[in-house]
Amino acid sequence: MEDCRCGKTLQLSGGDRYLTSGTVFTIDESGIQMSQTTACPLDCYDACRIVIDEKGAIKGDKTHPVTRGYLCPHLNHFQHNERICTPRLHGETISMDEALDILIATLRETKPDHVLYYRGSGNVALMQRVSEHFFASIKAVGTSGSLCDGAGEAGVLLGRGINHVLTPQALTQSEVVVFWGRNPHVTHSHLLPFLEGKKIIVIDPVKTAIAKKADLHIQIKPHGDLHLALLLSRFAVIEGIYDRDYLEENASGYSDFYELTQTVRIKATLEKIDVSLGQIGAVLEMIQGKKTAILVGVGVQKYRNGADVVRAIDGFGAIMGLFGKQGCGVSYMGSSLEGIENPFTPFSNRVSKPTVDFSKYNCVFVQGANPLAQMPDTIRVRESFDRAGFKVYFGLYENETSRSADLVIPAKTFLEKNDIRSSYGDYTLQEMPQMSGNEFGISEFELTRRLCEAFRIVLESEEKYLEYFRSKIEYDEGTGYRSSRPNIAYEEGFAEGEFVFMDEVDLEIDTDEGFHFITAKYPKGLNSQFHRPSGVYFHPEAGFEAGESVLLASSVGSVEMEVRHDERLRQDCLLIYSGTPEVNVLTPPLLSYEGENAVYQEFKIKVTKI
Ligand SMILES: Nc1nc2c(c(=O)[nH]1)N[C@H]1C(S)=C(S)[C@@H](COP(=O)(O)OP(=O)(O)OC[C@H]3O[C@@H](n4cnc5c(=O)[nH]c(N)nc54)[C@H](O)[C@@H]3O)O[C@H]1N2
Ligand SMILES: Nc1nc2c(c(=O)[nH]1)N[C@H]1C(S)=C(S)[C@@H](COP(=O)(O)OP(=O)(O)OC[C@H]3O[C@@H](n4cnc5c(=O)[nH]c(N)nc54)[C@H](O)[C@@H]3O)O[C@H]1N2
Ligand code: SF4
Ligand SMILES: [Mo]
């Protein structure tokens, strides 16, 4: 690991595991105090608790109920050699004061509705949102929708009204755990120790590590999940293993839902999604009378009907009476803000994030994101970003977006600023006090303070916001949790009183030519941060040699990539990991029908040898 180019960065050392930071301290009202623990704010379910030892090395916190002392390799890379050390304007180094003056002057001369604020998920701690307060107050345009989990979340909310998760601790009570389009070895590794002794079912087109260990793996055709969930529900009713008493009380629309499931043509559908009747019987047999948790990932909802897919899986959970019981339920990616009211001014004007047209704005402010790599339809995004007025990138690392920006403002890392970490995988709510000093970069709060001062916008002190978030923490055996957390998810029913089943469904299965496209998370990277993957993966028998180049084409674009082999894939699929440069040249500028989400896997891909 090398130093930052300007030589000011903190040193990484200790092989692969530890990071040695400089002075370890935290400032409070009584002066400077030694501080020991913080939390990792990377975009990840785990929200690991971190201990900084007396030598400044980063370690997992053994007392933490989820982390249990283990971190992951991403933390070794978060201060890698491409960290941005100095502000720059059109490639020329400038001071932070100059950068802020230029930003302020630009914002002053731009009509507010020509200013776009675009925030990504490079850091998911709560104070990242403080800058929204400024941009919303000047009436700039914010974004709505998501590149990530929005379709599925819309499906969850339509059925349940509120999105509660099953925490790793809640799973200790489960007898069967179903991973449905979710890859815990890569994206939620701290969950794994909680699975010991449980029966595992995996529904995933890829033979992931958890699928290899599973008692049952259904290697479904991508996008077959809606049909599978409806068929499982139908057979649960036919076989009489549904939870009738539960349904009468909590989900009385179940007979209409059962009727809806009867519109699925069994034989033709099973053929199309490549699932057998035997596998449906096996799932039902394994979960019958067992405490079952279904963990749904973002993999199932990267399609226009993603909300329906997740809602149908929820419907199956309801049919089996899984909600509101210990160790049971259906759990999707949660919301970090659930139960915490946003203290910052919200945007009154928003545009959909996955399809935003940057060229409409005279000033674009990008924070903690790399839209030029991670948004769908890269060619359109690139052109529209190029044609936008003044582009500002506020982040930690160089990437496609920093290289195309007019003004680059370096951020501070989470060790260098104060924050609070909420989680979308559990209910922990953790303090993240400043741990080390740093002469370069600016925190989100400080940047916002300077902007608010220039525009005479009222902003509370940093401590006041932190205190507000802190007031939502409830401690239990030394660990902080959101005070709003449910004891058992949905124990007290659903937001609308009852679970609301879907009442119509489009069962069409696309028959376009080409390979099914899977774009999933890469073990060594976090979207476009840290290690960037490369190449396109095929099953060895899919007809392509490892090392040869192929032209990949979808209806929006085409790109050349080198072939790699991966035996875990189906022969009719290709896989390009998230973070691969140019992957999103292939993905469409469309929104999910519900939830304004990106739909990365909507299109099939045609492949030609070159
Ligand atoms: N190492 C690492 N960890 C991460 C991230 C990262 O980039 N790298 N990203 C973080 C972020 S931003 C998120 S949103 C979470 C996401 O966490 P996950 O939901 O676990 O992530 P994915 O890899 O997108 O998808 C999971 C699985 O869905 C499968 N899948 C794809 N299409 C389908 C389908 O049509 N049906 C079914 N049943 N399965 C399908 C894929 O094969 C994959 O195994 O992970 C977080 N954690
Ligand atoms: N093909 C394909 N595309 C995808 C996906 C996929 O699975 N396949 N996944 C989608 C999903 S789920 C997501 S969540 C998005 C993620 O896409 P983005 O939100 O654009 O995230 P990253 O690529 O991780 O870029 C985050 C940047 O944040 C900056 N950063 C990190 N920490 C801080 C900080 O403390 N302050 C500031 N100011 N900046 C910081 C870093 O410089 C980093 O480059 O990508 C989406 N795109
Ligand atoms: S990226 Fe996730 S697993 Fe790794 S240290 Fe951070 S929170 Fe833990
Ligand atoms: Mo995500």
Side-chain angles (χ1 to χ4, degrees):
M1 197 56 55
E2 288 168 37
D3 270 5
C4 166
R5 286 188 311 276
C6 65
K8 286 185 202 156
T9 196
L10 305 172
Q11 295 277 322
L12 289 175
S13 72
D16 257 337
R17 268 211 87 86
Y18 303 125
L19 176 127
T20 325
S21 65
T23 346
V24 176
F25 62 88
T26 176
I27 300 163
D28 72 3
E29 280 143 23
S30 61
I32 290 178
Q33 243 186 22
M34 290 300 283
S35 172
Q36 286 162 331
T37 61
T38 181
C40 172
L42 294 177
D43 187 356
C44 169
Y45 290 96
D46 287 316
C48 291
R49 191 101 199 117
I50 292 169
V51 181
I52 311 277
D53 74 7
E54 54 296 340
K55 293 190 195 125
I58 285 192
K59 293 178 173 171
D61 181 350
K62 290 201 175 89
T63 66
H64 194 255
V66 181
T67 310
R68 295 172 165 187
Y70 297 99
L71 300 175
C72 85
H74 297 320
L75 266 190
N76 302 314
H77 302 299
F78 87 99
Q79 277 194 317
H80 66 29
N81 56 346
E82 278 209 290
R83 184 169 174 198
I84 299 167
C85 315
T86 58
R88 61 175 196 261
L89 179 70
H90 300 131
E92 299 292 323
T93 297
I94 54 173
S95 71
M96 185 60 83
D97 282 339
E98 285 168 329
L100 296 180
D101 287 347
I102 292 163
L103 176 59
I104 289 165
T106 308
L107 291 168
R108 281 218 167 99
E109 66 201 28
T110 310
K111 279 205 213 140
D113 59 351
H114 286 116
V115 175
L116 177 75
Y117 171 90
Y118 179 107
R119 186 166 53 81
S121 51
N123 174 330
V124 297
L126 295 172
M127 286 298 279
Q128 285 291 307
R129 293 166 190 266
V130 67
S131 44
E132 279 184 37
H133 180 83
F134 166 77
F135 286 96
S137 298
I138 62 163
K139 304 255 176 298
V141 179
T143 63
S144 53
S146 162
L147 301 185
C148 175
D149 61 338
E153 183 177 46
V156 165
L157 295 178
L158 285 166
R160 309 186 213 161
I162 185 168
N163 183 7
H164 287 312
V165 294
L166 291 171
T167 64
Q169 296 105 304
L171 295 188
T172 49
Q173 304 290 325
S174 313
E175 293 164 289
V176 181
V177 180
V178 184
F179 287 91
W180 201 325
R182 183 149 153 184
N183 187 1
H185 285 80
V186 170
T187 64
H188 199 173
S189 55
H190 288 91
L191 191 66
L192 299 170
F194 292 86
L195 300 176
E196 223 154 87
K198 299 178 196 312
K199 290 257 183 263
I200 305 289
I201 300 174
V202 174
I203 303 166
D204 198 306
V206 180
K207 201 165 179 56
T208 55
I210 191 77
K212 284 183 187 155
K213 288 186 166 181
D215 299 276
L216 175 66
H217 174 209
I218 300 184
Q219 197 165 9
I220 192 170
K221 232 186 221 189
H223 212 172
D225 308 278
L226 169 66
H227 302 79
L228 177 60
L230 295 176
L231 285 173
L232 283 166
S233 304
R234 179 164 168 187
F235 281 100
V237 175
I238 293 171
E239 303 288 326
I241 59 167
Y242 65 117
D243 191 339
R244 198 183 175 136
D245 293 346
Y246 174 87
L247 289 165
E248 290 292 343
E249 203 172 313
N250 299 288
S252 56
Y254 73 94
S255 34
D256 288 346
F257 180 61
Y258 174 60
E259 257 177 50
L260 190 71
T261 67
Q262 288 176 312
T263 60
V264 184
R265 288 171 56 221
I266 298 174
K267 198 162 165 281
T269 304
L270 286 174
E271 248 166 51
K272 280 188 181 152
I273 67 173
D274 200 9
V275 175
S276 68
L277 261 187
Q279 286 173 318
I280 292 203
V283 172
L284 294 176
E285 197 179 313
M286 278 174 72
I287 69 177
Q288 180 176 10
K290 293 284 192 299
K291 286 187 179 168
T292 301
I294 303 178
L295 307 184
V296 185
V298 297
V300 300
Q301 55 96 65
K302 297 178 184 184
Y303 307 101
R304 269 186 285 186
N305 69 344
D308 271 358
V309 176
V310 173
R311 202 168 172 198
I313 297 172
D314 268 6
F316 173 56
I319 287 286
M320 299 304 291
L322 297 181
F323 291 103
K325 297 174 188 163
Q326 218 168 36
C328 300
V330 185
S331 183
Y332 180 59
M333 186 172 255
S335 155
S336 316
L337 266 189
E338 176 66 56
I340 305 173
E341 216 181 298
N342 183 4
F344 307 120
T345 302
F347 282 102
S348 47
N349 191 0
R350 294 169 185 266
V351 287
S352 293
K353 190 174 189 181
T355 51
V356 60
D357 181 355
F358 294 105
S359 70
K360 287 194 175 149
Y361 300 90
N362 294 335
C363 177
V364 173
F365 183 89
V366 175
Q367 174 186 320
N370 184 11
L372 266 58
Q374 293 303 111
M375 268 176 71
D377 199 5
T378 304
I379 291 170
R380 181 198 73 83
V381 172
R382 240 184 243 150
E383 279 170 10
S384 110
F385 199 77
D386 275 352
R387 283 192 285 123
F390 191 73
K391 282 105 49 184
V392 185
Y393 170 86
F394 176 37
L396 282 179
Y397 310 124
E398 299 293 0
N399 57 33
E400 289 88 333
T401 310
S402 72
R403 288 190 280 272
S404 298
D406 298 291
L407 178 66
V408 173
I409 302 179
K412 285 190 186 295
T413 71
F414 73 96
L415 291 172
E416 300 155 357
K417 59 196 176 198
N418 293 304
D419 216 322
I420 306 267
R421 170 66 146 112
S422 184
S423 162
Y424 52 71
D426 58 51
Y427 292 98
T428 53
L429 189 57
Q430 310 176 72
E431 293 242 27
M432 297 174 58
Q434 186 188 335
M435 289 296 198
S436 65
N438 173 359
E439 319 121 62
F440 64 93
I442 186 166
S443 72
E444 285 66 25
F445 181 81
E446 185 54 20
L447 180 116
T448 307
R449 197 187 64 73
R450 296 280 289 267
L451 293 174
C452 285
E453 205 174 76
F455 283 74
R456 296 174 189 278
I457 288 163
V458 178
L459 178 78
E460 304 284 358
S461 68
E462 183 180 32
E463 185 48 34
K464 201 134 185 198
Y465 290 116
L466 290 168
E467 187 46 48
Y468 167 75
F469 289 130
R470 204 174 281 137
S471 73
K472 307 289 174 191
I473 305 180
E474 195 174 83
Y475 283 92
D476 184 359
E477 297 186 358
T479 301
Y481 295 95
R482 266 181 264 175
S483 48
S484 60
R485 82 187 145 138
N487 181 20
I488 295 172
Y490 305 101
E491 191 179 26
E492 273 139 39
F494 299 94
E496 306 290 317
E498 289 207 12
F499 179 85
V500 185
F501 287 101
M502 62 207 300
D503 55 9
E504 53 179 1
V505 68
D506 179 356
L507 290 171
E508 209 176 309
I509 293 182
D510 96 78
T511 46
D512 295 349
E513 294 254 310
F515 282 80
H516 288 278
F517 183 34
I518 297 181
T519 176
K521 303 304 180 193
Y522 183 58
K524 294 188 196 156
L526 206 55
N527 297 308
S528 75
Q529 298 194 81
F530 317 126
H531 286 292
R532 298 289 292 269
S534 65
V536 52
Y537 292 81
F538 288 96
H539 188 275
E541 318 272 275
F544 304 98
E545 296 299 323
E548 75 173 317
S549 285
V550 287
L551 187 71
L552 307 166
S554 76
S555 43
V556 293
S558 60
V559 63
E560 199 183 310
M561 278 195 196
E562 193 178 298
V563 171
R564 318 218 185 295
H565 281 169
D566 186 342
E567 288 190 342
R568 305 169 311 145
L569 298 175
R570 293 170 54 95
Q571 291 189 29
D572 56 2
C573 293
L574 62 82
L575 163 69
I576 308 176
Y577 287 112
S578 178
T580 304
E582 306 287 291
V583 54
N584 284 315
V585 166
L586 298 166
T587 56
L590 297 172
L591 295 177
S592 56
Y593 298 130
E594 307 275 350
E596 294 175 85
N597 205 47
V599 295
Y600 294 102
Q601 298 186 170
E602 183 72 19
F603 286 165
K604 294 244 183 78
I605 308 287
K606 294 204 177 104
V607 187
T608 33
K609 295 189 180 215
I610 31 183

